[in-house]
Amino acid sequence: MYPKNTWYVACTPDEIADKPLGRQICGEKIVFYRGQEHKVAAVEDFCPHRGAPLSLGYVDNGNLVCGYHGLVMGCDGKTVEMPGQRVRGFPCNKTYAVVERYGFIWVWPGEQDKADAALIHPLEWAENEEWAYGGGLFHIGCDYRLMIDNLMDLTHETYVHASSIGQKEIDEAAPTTTVNGNEGVTARHMENIMAPPFWRMALRGNNLADDVPVDRWQICRFTPPSHVLIEVGVAHAGKGGYDAAPEFKASSIVVDFITPETDTSIWYFWGMARNFNPQDQALTDTIREGQGKIFSEDLEMLERQQQNLLDHPHRALLKLNIDSGGVQSRRILDRIIASEREPEQTVVRISQ
Amino acid sequence: MYPKNTWYVACTPDEIADKPLGRQICGEKIVFYRGQEHKVAAVEDFCPHRGAPLSLGYVDNGNLVCGYHGLVMGCDGKTVEMPGQRVRGFPCNKTYAVVERYGFIWVWPGEQDKADAALIHPLEWAENEEWAYGGGLFHIGCDYRLMIDNLMDLTHETYVHASSIGQKEIDEAAPTTTVNGNEGVTARHMENIMAPPFWRMALRGNNLADDVPVDRWQICRFTPPSHVLIEVGVAHAGKGGYDAAPEFKASSIVVDFITPETDTSIWYFWGMARNFNPQDQALTDTIREGQGKIFSEDLEMLERQQQNLLDHPHRALLKLNIDSGGVQSRRILDRIIASEREPEQTVVRISQ
Amino acid sequence: MYPKNTWYVACTPDEIADKPLGRQICGEKIVFYRGQEHKVAAVEDFCPHRGAPLSLGYVDNGNLVCGYHGLVMGCDGKTVEMPGQRVRGFPCNKTYAVVERYGFIWVWPGEQDKADAALIHPLEWAENEEWAYGGGLFHIGCDYRLMIDNLMDLTHETYVHASSIGQKEIDEAAPTTTVNGNEGVTARHMENIMAPPFWRMALRGNNLADDVPVDRWQICRFTPPSHVLIEVGVAHAGKGGYDAAPEFKASSIVVDFITPETDTSIWYFWGMARNFNPQDQALTDTIREGQGKIFSEDLEMLERQQQNLLDHPHRALLKLNIDSGGVQSRRILDRIIASEREPEQTVVRISQ
């Protein structure tokens, strides 16, 4: 139950630097590699000869060579050659549209004729040298929507991340959720509070006092299929909060790209983009390490929640105001999934 | 295929000393914790908010706090409060009758209106300071009845526990099995034999010579749902055996509480209660360590037996005289399980 | 989908030297052990008493003693005795024809009245002291026919075993496949090439120069149910190749016995028989170690290929000239499997 005619993050460039990468995305087993002129390519991870996974092979001269009997697969899914064989009649492999952009490899797992690179979510910070980015990847055994719920309701920080970014004041500040077409936004502002440890570290990283009251904000933006970009930050209290001048605040964007592997497992690309001290690589590393530790605290909760839901398939869950961000995101997704399933002819017929 | 309207051992107090404990019992996923006034409580391990396991949370002021978004669950299954929410309409969680008694936490997994603490099996030794108890817990992948069979036929000691409590004379002494209502008893007496290593250790622990002939006994008592209490001991030969005066014997009660987790897995609470040198904690520890080592020898056998039975579902097993204890125990269980399934109305109609 | 009325290698003598061995073969759970007069015996791995696996027991006086309650099982599947029991009426265990020959234990998993030791594949080298043998065993998660395919198409050596026995010239030499009744043979000859590392080691092991051109050959012989014996070797170039005199060549027989455990897992007995320096045990060890390392390179490929095929059940594979050996072997197998399934009566009725 996920959109397929859309762009997902498939992997990061380092994952295909030395050898092909086999990865299942939306149920499709795909091998990613650098083909001709170092351009990223993606084909079915299945050798048309005897079914070996092509991802166990290697790249030679821009083509993928099967590691079993040497079939040479082209980026177009056609067999280029095979030792001692005429390959013209070999069946074609499915190929997948892939684009390398913003430091990620994006894949379109659905109908290939609909793939349009212009539909990739724009990430301004990724191309702006005043920003720095650091991130990582987790494999988690849960429905991708549970991860969206998690990120669109940050009250969980108070409980799951109590020692780093959580604080009681999050609970106390009711969030506001709005929907703009296919974008769901849930925002929370806290005023005149003490910053929790992670943000004290960030204040120091931006050469700001960490022992004075701050205003804090969290603005979570969901866009399909499963991107959640969260503006987060603290400013010295009374300097304008979210709108404070840069010299009074430490702010960043929490970056979450959630890629379904199966109905109950995901590839979770997480990271943080910041626009203070972007050249400070040591700070980037410190933040990434801290974020990785914090985000790993969600894993057991998500996997056990998934298991509980599988065990209780008919039990309804609550939809509180704090869940509004997740609920609205699911509505947007349901609409998209339904439209993918509905043949266009049917639509026409109904409108007659 | 287990009775549900009955008391099972759920856990021991140390397991809920620091944090809640999630445990599946008779197919029910339950969280156990100390609630108001330190009283044990048990509710469904499912947060009504979003399905997170409550056992990943913590106890605060006698209530269970969900570790995901802070819902506060009361011992009565009703949500007490949740940050920023009106909780009156929240659906109730199922609760389970629990009683702390005799050093164990007991749970009634079936129909809650039938739970009556008076039905908990009395354990005189547990409240008598002339007795000492030590024990442990194993998780085993087998039907609970295979464990009952195991304990109601101690000929297996000769083979599975050859180096500790087994001896050829067990085989040679035919057991006597009797049934008294819902209690099955299988007894074996051996006269004028040499004690095996475990019992020589126990004789020394009671300041008795370990190199002289003894009389040995094993009296296994099954009571529903799956308790097996075994009077075991040795007395210097000719002093009256089971009825010998305390100064001539070392005797104890092997304690076995078998709690089904699923149809093919159990929580096995084992231990030994003794009434010699009860203050000697070092002796308690030595016995527990020895018993744990011996009882762990059964695990592979039980799990592989279970696998064999699943692979051969239609193959009949033998019911020999040595199996009589297990066979009678299963008859008692079948009767109880059938009565749980039979609606009372049907009974009335038949008797008209 | 494997023949059952046939001989498979079950195990090697060292596996039953100290205790019984439980092993599943063609879906049958069997315990192998040395019975009366050290003769190998095989019975169902299921105690007729309570279903315990007999393989957890021990051998006493030529009989298998169940490790749970001491039932004594005879080689004929009849219970010999059991402490305190009359065993005459005990149900019989299934027994399996087993033969120890050529350094292997062979088992006939199908209809026992058809087992005929004369049908065991003759292995001349195994009884000839001018030959030496060394080998090992792998458990692999794949259909046994994928292993046959692997061995009947050695072009994979170029890719999977590039650093030891692979070389580009294998690809370039087209194989010739012939079928003789139930034997499939695929042969490849390469002339005037440089030997790859493994064969340079073998040349040195036979006191031959390893830095001169050689002729190389691979003659793969499939016989049912799943034996693949491969004549392999190199001779100094121009000395007659396969037919060269012994002083100019290093040659051996790669031995592959593939025993299905289930439809998707096998016991793979591999080894090498050679007729140069047969007394040199150190050389035998070196070759075995090298072969074990090389053959282990196939495991991941075979298991991931199996997984890919299960994920794509309807996708047709190619049957190229290099696959001819595997394709012909499968035809022979299909014929045998069909004849096992066809009741003789049906045959008669059709022919009337």
Side-chain angles (χ1 to χ4, degrees):
Chain A
M1 285 282 290
Y2 31 70
K4 289 191 79 166
N5 289 332
T6 186
W7 294 102
Y8 286 100
V9 172
C11 60
T12 47
D14 60 294
E15 294 187 276
I16 54 168
D18 301 323
K19 51 182 182 183
L21 171 74
R23 179 159 289 166
Q24 190 176 172
I25 291 178
C26 296
E28 309 270 326
K29 293 197 170 184
I30 305 175
V31 51
F32 298 89
Y33 62 103
R34 292 210 174 270
Q36 307 293 345
E37 293 164 16
H38 243 58
K39 211 163 151 270
V40 179
V43 301
E44 269 180 293
D45 195 9
F46 187 99
C47 180
H49 175 216
R50 303 296 296 171
L54 291 166
S55 55
L56 288 182
Y58 57 93
V59 178
D60 182 47
N61 196 24
N63 291 315
L64 192 53
V65 182
C66 179
Y68 204 0
H69 302 98
L71 180 145
V72 180
M73 169 60 60
C75 300
D76 54 0
K78 287 184 190 154
T79 302
V80 175
E81 59 178 349
M82 185 173 174
Q85 309 297 333
R86 266 173 287 187
V87 301
R88 218 172 309 161
F90 282 23
C92 256
N93 257 25
K94 200 167 162 180
T95 63
Y96 298 88
V98 269
V99 173
E100 182 169 8
R101 190 178 289 179
Y102 307 133
F104 299 98
I105 314 294
W106 304 76
V107 68
W108 181 281
E111 297 161 74
Q112 294 304 307
D113 56 348
K114 297 190 173 168
D116 175 0
L119 298 174
I120 294 176
H121 192 290
L123 302 176
E124 294 78 6
W125 48 263
E127 300 189 311
N128 184 332
E129 65 180 13
E130 288 177 22
W131 289 73
Y133 178 80
L137 167 63
F138 291 155
H139 183 258
I140 310 180
C142 73
D143 186 306
Y144 74 111
R145 289 167 296 192
L146 295 186
M147 190 78 234
I148 295 173
D149 291 345
N150 174 288
L151 294 162
M152 293 297 284
D153 174 12
L154 297 184
T155 56
H156 83 270
E157 292 184 358
T158 310
Y159 303 92
V160 180
H161 313 301
S163 65
S164 53
I165 52 176
Q167 60 186 150
K168 200 58 200 161
E169 290 89 346
I170 297 176
D171 267 355
E172 291 160 0
T176 313
T177 300
T178 52
V179 177
N180 265 312
N182 272 350
E183 186 189 48
V185 183
T186 191
R188 181 183 269 116
H189 293 269
M190 295 151 271
E191 291 183 4
N192 205 34
I193 62 173
M194 293 309 294
F198 181 88
W199 282 112
R200 288 207 297 274
M201 178 269 283
L203 285 165
R204 290 191 304 271
N206 200 17
N207 306 313
L208 284 163
D210 68 346
D211 56 355
V212 298
V214 297
D215 299 333
R216 181 180 176 186
W217 60 91
Q218 303 169 321
I219 304 167
C220 313
R221 300 179 191 279
F222 165 83
T223 48
S226 46
H227 310 334
V228 181
L229 298 169
I230 312 179
E231 290 184 78
V232 290
V234 293
H236 280 176
K239 299 296 185 183
Y242 177 78
D243 296 313
E247 61 266 33
F248 297 121
K249 70 184 176 190
S251 68
S252 57
I253 300 173
V254 174
V255 176
D256 306 285
F257 297 122
I258 308 161
T259 303
E261 179 190 48
T262 66
D263 279 340
T264 54
S265 60
I266 59 172
W267 301 103
Y268 174 39
F269 297 87
W270 54 265
M272 191 171 275
R274 78 176 190 281
N275 63 352
F276 56 92
N277 284 347
Q279 262 71 48
D280 187 345
Q281 182 61 42
L283 180 60
T284 303
D285 294 343
T286 302
I287 290 175
R288 175 176 30 218
E289 198 181 324
Q291 189 184 10
K293 196 160 163 295
I294 293 168
F295 281 30
S296 71
E297 294 170 339
D298 291 291
L299 267 64
E300 185 182 7
M301 184 61 81
L302 287 162
E303 297 193 338
R304 300 262 320 260
Q305 182 191 18
Q306 175 67 64
Q307 197 51 54
N308 247 1
L309 296 179
L310 290 174
D311 288 344
H312 297 85
H314 301 300
R315 193 154 169 169
L317 301 183
L318 295 177
K319 294 175 182 176
L320 309 176
N321 62 331
I322 58 171
D323 303 310
S324 187
V327 168
Q328 295 300 339
S329 304
R330 284 163 181 258
R331 273 195 202 147
I332 293 167
L333 284 167
D334 287 346
R335 218 157 50 213
I336 292 170
I337 293 166
S339 77
E340 281 194 8
R341 295 189 171 180
E342 199 163 276
E344 285 174 49
Q345 297 86 322
T346 311
V347 177
V348 175
R349 218 175 301 138
I350 285 168
S351 65
Q352 282 175 340
Chain B
M1 285 281 292
Y2 31 70
K4 288 191 77 165
N5 288 332
T6 186
W7 293 102
Y8 287 100
V9 172
C11 59
T12 47
D14 59 293
E15 295 186 276
I16 56 168
D18 302 322
K19 51 181 182 184
L21 171 74
R23 178 159 289 167
Q24 189 175 174
I25 290 177
C26 296
E28 309 272 326
K29 292 196 168 185
I30 306 174
V31 51
F32 297 90
Y33 63 103
R34 291 211 175 269
Q36 307 292 344
E37 292 164 17
H38 243 58
K39 213 166 150 268
V40 179
V43 301
E44 270 179 293
D45 195 8
F46 187 100
C47 180
H49 174 216
R50 303 297 296 173
L54 291 165
S55 55
L56 289 182
Y58 57 93
V59 179
D60 181 48
N61 196 23
N63 291 316
L64 191 53
V65 182
C66 179
Y68 204 1
H69 303 97
L71 179 145
V72 180
M73 169 61 60
C75 301
D76 54 0
K78 287 184 190 155
T79 301
V80 176
E81 59 178 349
M82 185 173 173
Q85 309 297 332
R86 265 174 287 187
V87 302
R88 217 173 311 163
F90 282 22
C92 256
N93 257 26
K94 200 168 162 180
T95 62
Y96 298 87
V98 269
V99 174
E100 184 169 8
R101 190 178 290 179
Y102 306 133
F104 298 98
I105 314 296
W106 304 77
V107 68
W108 181 283
E111 296 162 73
Q112 294 303 307
D113 56 348
K114 299 190 172 168
D116 175 0
L119 298 174
I120 293 176
H121 191 290
L123 302 177
E124 294 79 6
W125 49 263
E127 300 188 311
N128 185 332
E129 63 179 18
E130 289 177 21
W131 288 73
Y133 178 79
L137 167 62
F138 290 154
H139 184 259
I140 311 181
C142 73
D143 186 306
Y144 74 112
R145 290 167 295 192
L146 295 186
M147 191 79 233
I148 295 173
D149 291 344
N150 173 288
L151 294 160
M152 293 297 283
D153 175 11
L154 298 185
T155 56
H156 83 270
E157 293 184 358
T158 310
Y159 303 92
V160 181
H161 313 303
S163 65
S164 54
I165 53 177
Q167 59 185 152
K168 199 60 199 160
E169 290 89 346
I170 297 175
D171 266 354
E172 290 158 2
T176 313
T177 300
T178 51
V179 177
N180 266 313
N182 273 350
E183 186 189 46
V185 183
T186 191
R188 178 183 272 116
H189 293 269
M190 294 151 273
E191 292 186 2
N192 206 36
I193 62 172
M194 295 307 295
F198 181 87
W199 283 111
R200 288 207 297 273
M201 180 269 283
L203 284 165
R204 291 192 303 272
N206 200 16
N207 305 314
L208 284 164
D210 68 347
D211 56 355
V212 298
V214 297
D215 298 333
R216 182 180 177 185
W217 61 90
Q218 304 169 321
I219 303 167
C220 312
R221 300 179 191 279
F222 165 86
T223 47
S226 46
H227 310 333
V228 182
L229 298 168
I230 312 179
E231 291 184 79
V232 290
V234 293
H236 280 176
K239 300 294 184 186
Y242 176 77
D243 297 313
E247 60 266 33
F248 297 121
K249 69 183 175 190
S251 67
S252 56
I253 299 173
V254 175
V255 175
D256 306 284
F257 297 122
I258 307 161
T259 302
E261 179 190 49
T262 67
D263 280 339
T264 53
S265 60
I266 59 172
W267 301 102
Y268 173 39
F269 298 86
W270 54 264
M272 191 171 273
R274 76 175 191 283
N275 63 351
F276 56 91
N277 284 347
Q279 263 70 49
D280 186 344
Q281 182 62 41
L283 180 59
T284 303
D285 294 342
T286 303
I287 289 174
R288 177 178 24 220
E289 198 180 324
Q291 189 184 10
K293 196 162 163 292
I294 293 168
F295 281 30
S296 71
E297 295 170 338
D298 290 293
L299 268 63
E300 185 183 8
M301 184 62 81
L302 287 161
E303 297 194 337
R304 299 262 320 261
Q305 181 192 17
Q306 175 67 62
Q307 198 50 55
N308 248 0
L309 297 179
L310 290 174
D311 288 342
H312 297 86
H314 301 301
R315 193 155 168 167
L317 302 183
L318 295 177
K319 295 174 181 176
L320 308 176
N321 62 332
I322 56 171
D323 302 311
S324 188
V327 168
Q328 295 299 341
S329 304
R330 283 164 183 257
R331 273 195 204 147
I332 294 167
L333 283 167
D334 288 346
R335 218 158 51 214
I336 292 170
I337 293 167
S339 78
E340 281 195 6
R341 295 190 172 181
E342 200 164 273
E344 285 172 50
Q345 297 87 321
T346 310
V347 177
V348 174
R349 220 175 299 138
I350 283 168
S351 66
Q352 281 177 338
Chain C
M1 285 281 292
Y2 32 69
K4 289 192 79 166
N5 289 332
T6 185
W7 294 102
Y8 286 100
V9 171
C11 60
T12 47
D14 59 293
E15 295 187 276
I16 55 169
D18 301 322
K19 51 181 183 185
L21 171 73
R23 178 159 290 166
Q24 189 175 176
I25 290 178
C26 296
E28 310 272 325
K29 291 196 170 185
I30 306 174
V31 51
F32 298 88
Y33 62 104
R34 292 208 175 272
Q36 307 293 342
E37 294 165 17
H38 244 58
K39 212 164 150 271
V40 179
V43 301
E44 270 180 292
D45 195 8
F46 188 100
C47 180
H49 174 217
R50 303 296 297 171
L54 292 166
S55 55
L56 289 182
Y58 57 92
V59 178
D60 182 47
N61 196 23
N63 291 315
L64 192 54
V65 182
C66 179
Y68 203 1
H69 303 97
L71 178 144
V72 181
M73 169 59 61
C75 299
D76 54 0
K78 287 183 190 154
T79 301
V80 175
E81 59 177 351
M82 186 171 172
Q85 308 297 333
R86 265 174 289 186
V87 303
R88 218 172 310 162
F90 282 24
C92 257
N93 257 26
K94 198 167 163 182
T95 62
Y96 298 88
V98 268
V99 174
E100 183 170 7
R101 189 179 288 179
Y102 307 134
F104 298 98
I105 314 296
W106 304 77
V107 68
W108 181 280
E111 296 161 74
Q112 294 303 307
D113 55 349
K114 298 191 173 167
D116 176 359
L119 297 174
I120 293 176
H121 191 290
L123 303 175
E124 294 80 5
W125 49 263
E127 300 188 311
N128 184 332
E129 63 179 17
E130 289 176 20
W131 288 74
Y133 178 81
L137 168 63
F138 291 154
H139 183 258
I140 311 181
C142 73
D143 186 306
Y144 74 112
R145 290 168 294 193
L146 295 186
M147 190 79 234
I148 295 173
D149 292 344
N150 174 288
L151 294 162
M152 293 297 283
D153 175 13
L154 297 184
T155 56
H156 83 271
E157 294 186 355
T158 310
Y159 303 92
V160 180
H161 312 303
S163 65
S164 54
I165 52 176
Q167 60 187 149
K168 199 58 199 160
E169 290 88 347
I170 298 175
D171 267 355
E172 291 159 1
T176 312
T177 300
T178 52
V179 177
N180 266 313
N182 272 351
E183 185 189 47
V185 183
T186 191
R188 179 182 272 116
H189 293 269
M190 295 151 271
E191 292 185 3
N192 204 34
I193 62 172
M194 294 308 294
F198 181 86
W199 282 112
R200 288 207 297 273
M201 179 267 284
L203 283 165
R204 291 192 303 271
N206 200 16
N207 306 312
L208 284 164
D210 68 345
D211 56 354
V212 297
V214 296
D215 298 333
R216 183 179 176 186
W217 61 91
Q218 304 169 322
I219 304 168
C220 313
R221 299 178 191 280
F222 165 84
T223 48
S226 46
H227 310 333
V228 181
L229 299 169
I230 311 179
E231 291 183 79
V232 291
V234 293
H236 280 176
K239 300 297 183 183
Y242 177 77
D243 296 313
E247 61 265 35
F248 297 121
K249 70 184 175 190
S251 68
S252 57
I253 300 173
V254 173
V255 175
D256 306 285
F257 297 122
I258 308 161
T259 303
E261 179 189 50
T262 67
D263 280 339
T264 53
S265 60
I266 59 172
W267 301 103
Y268 174 39
F269 298 88
W270 53 265
M272 192 171 276
R274 76 175 191 283
N275 62 351
F276 56 92
N277 284 346
Q279 263 69 50
D280 186 345
Q281 182 62 43
L283 180 59
T284 303
D285 294 343
T286 303
I287 290 175
R288 177 178 26 220
E289 197 181 322
Q291 190 185 8
K293 197 163 164 291
I294 294 169
F295 280 31
S296 71
E297 295 170 337
D298 291 292
L299 268 64
E300 185 183 8
M301 183 62 79
L302 286 161
E303 297 193 336
R304 300 262 320 261
Q305 182 192 17
Q306 175 69 61
Q307 199 49 55
N308 247 1
L309 296 179
L310 289 173
D311 288 344
H312 297 86
H314 301 303
R315 193 153 168 169
L317 302 183
L318 295 178
K319 294 174 182 176
L320 309 176
N321 61 329
I322 56 171
D323 302 311
S324 187
V327 168
Q328 295 300 339
S329 304
R330 284 166 182 255
R331 274 195 201 148
I332 293 166
L333 283 166
D334 287 345
R335 220 157 49 213
I336 293 170
I337 293 166
S339 76
E340 281 195 7
R341 295 193 170 177
E342 200 163 273
E344 286 171 48
Q345 298 87 320
T346 312
V347 176
V348 173
R349 219 176 300 137
I350 285 167
S351 66
Q352 281 176 339

